[in-house]
Every structure is written in C-alpha cells, then in structure tokens.
Amino acid sequence: QGLIQGQSDIPLSDEGRAEVRRWRLRADFGAFDWYSSPLARASETAALLGAAACRREPRLMEANWGDWEGWSLERLRREIGEIFAAMEAQGLDLLPPGGESPRMVRARLGAWLAEVAPAQRPIVAVCHAGVVRAAYSLATGWEMKKKAPLARPHAFAHLYDLSPSGKIAVAELNIPLLAPDEPDPYDPNDG
C-alpha cells in the first residue's frame, strides 16, 4: 500500500510470500551465518529463503518512524510538505517525531557489525530498506542527501567485506535474487 511500516510488526502479505517463494540466493551464500530482523516480514522472508537456523537480531530492525508510521510519503509531502522537505534535506539527521534518525540506525548497525566482525564468518542479514541504506552509508560515507546507487532493497542482495574491526566496504551491489529455475553462475553443479 506504499505506507511507511517502520517498526510496526506487519507480516508479509500473501503477495509478498508468493514473491519471496520465487527467489533464491546464489549458492555461495549457502554456508553463511543467517541473521534477520525480528520483525515478522523479515524473519518470514529468511525462513522462506531456506534459512533453517536464523538468529534474530534487534539491531537489524527497520528505522522507527515514530508518529509517521502508517503514513505514505505522498501524505507526508501533501500535509507537511515544506517541513518534510527540510527534514529530508538533513539526510542522516532526518528525525521523525518520536522516531529515530538514519544516523541512529547506522550507529546500531555499526555496533552489531563490530560485535560479529572478529569471528570473520560470512553473514546474510535479512533486513529492511533503512538498514540497507545504513550499511551503504557506513561503507561509503554517504550522507543520505542524494540518491544512492542501490536498487530497491527487496529482491536484491548487497555484498560487503567486513574487516575484523567491523569496518565494511562495498564488494558488490544490486545482486538480483535468482528465480528457482534460473541457473546459478556460482554453483558448478547448477545448469
């Protein structure tokens, strides 16, 4: 419906479940440790992608949009246009009333990355658009004041290198999720 869900725990719709069932990750992601946001739409996506043992991590939750959860961007622009435009121009410091800024999301994601990094295990994190943008911001210094070269976060994966100290760097962006019958170029036994 184009509404800002934020941390409202809304499950996948039937249409969403059908879409996820048409996806699969490349074979080289198979041995990764799996984590997901505890929000139902992310944890269910992880399960549908075949994550048998997926740990739920609260720091992978979507941004808290506070008073604006349940609104659409169209409604925000219509009802508080000038105010919202000024807030959007703040990039990382956009702070919805009663919510959290992208900088806050980036900080909690960075803290989690610093915790898991020393193990140097590859990780899949099933999360939300705000967290995807926060990861890109951590890796590149993007201030969120202009458009990032990220495809719509759902139906794509983004691969980062993670140093032992928790610093991330872009390895590969906008990796399409494969259809179940599509050959996997990373699996020598497929196709």
Side-chain angles (χ1 to χ4, degrees):
Q1 297 175 351
L3 303 179
I4 297 168
Q5 294 179 36
Q7 292 185 356
S8 298
D9 201 6
I10 300 166
L12 288 174
S13 65
D14 289 340
E15 181 181 321
R17 284 184 200 92
E19 182 177 3
V20 174
R21 285 186 183 105
R22 293 190 298 266
W23 300 342
R24 69 183 168 111
L25 289 172
R26 300 181 330 200
D28 57 329
F29 291 132
F32 288 22
D33 291 341
W34 283 67
Y35 292 84
S36 81
S37 157
L39 296 175
R41 59 193 187 266
S43 58
E44 188 176 356
T45 296
L48 290 169
L49 285 171
C54 186
R55 292 176 235 172
R56 294 185 180 185
E57 173 51 58
R59 290 169 289 186
L60 293 175
M61 285 187 10
E62 180 60 286
N64 179 345
W65 279 80
D67 295 349
W68 294 343
E69 288 194 13
W71 288 42
S72 67
L73 288 176
E74 178 184 296
R75 178 180 172 196
L76 284 169
R77 291 185 175 118
R78 183 180 64 246
E79 293 189 20
I80 58 167
E82 288 181 27
I83 295 168
F84 185 63
M87 292 178 81
E88 277 187 303
Q90 294 176 3
L92 286 170
D93 296 311
L94 175 132
L95 184 59
E100 106 188 281
S101 70
R103 189 178 304 278
M104 293 169 170
V105 175
R106 193 172 78 165
R108 67 173 150 87
L109 176 63
W112 176 69
L113 291 170
E115 278 182 27
V116 297
Q120 288 295 281
R121 295 270 312 143
I123 293 169
V124 170
V126 180
C127 55
H128 310 274
V131 179
V132 169
R133 288 190 293 268
Y136 182 76
S137 177
L138 280 170
T140 66
W142 175 54
E143 292 283 326
M144 296 189 188
K145 292 186 178 183
K146 58 183 177 182
K147 190 166 172 58
L150 298 170
R152 277 198 58 135
H154 78 287
F156 287 89
H158 307 284
L159 186 62
Y160 293 92
D161 292 322
L162 181 62
S163 76
S165 67
K167 182 169 175 45
I168 64 173
V170 173
E172 188 177 354
L173 297 175
N174 304 321
I175 303 165
L177 298 176
L178 303 169
D181 58 349
E182 184 177 352
D184 184 346
Y186 290 84
D187 184 352
N189 301 315
D190 189 6

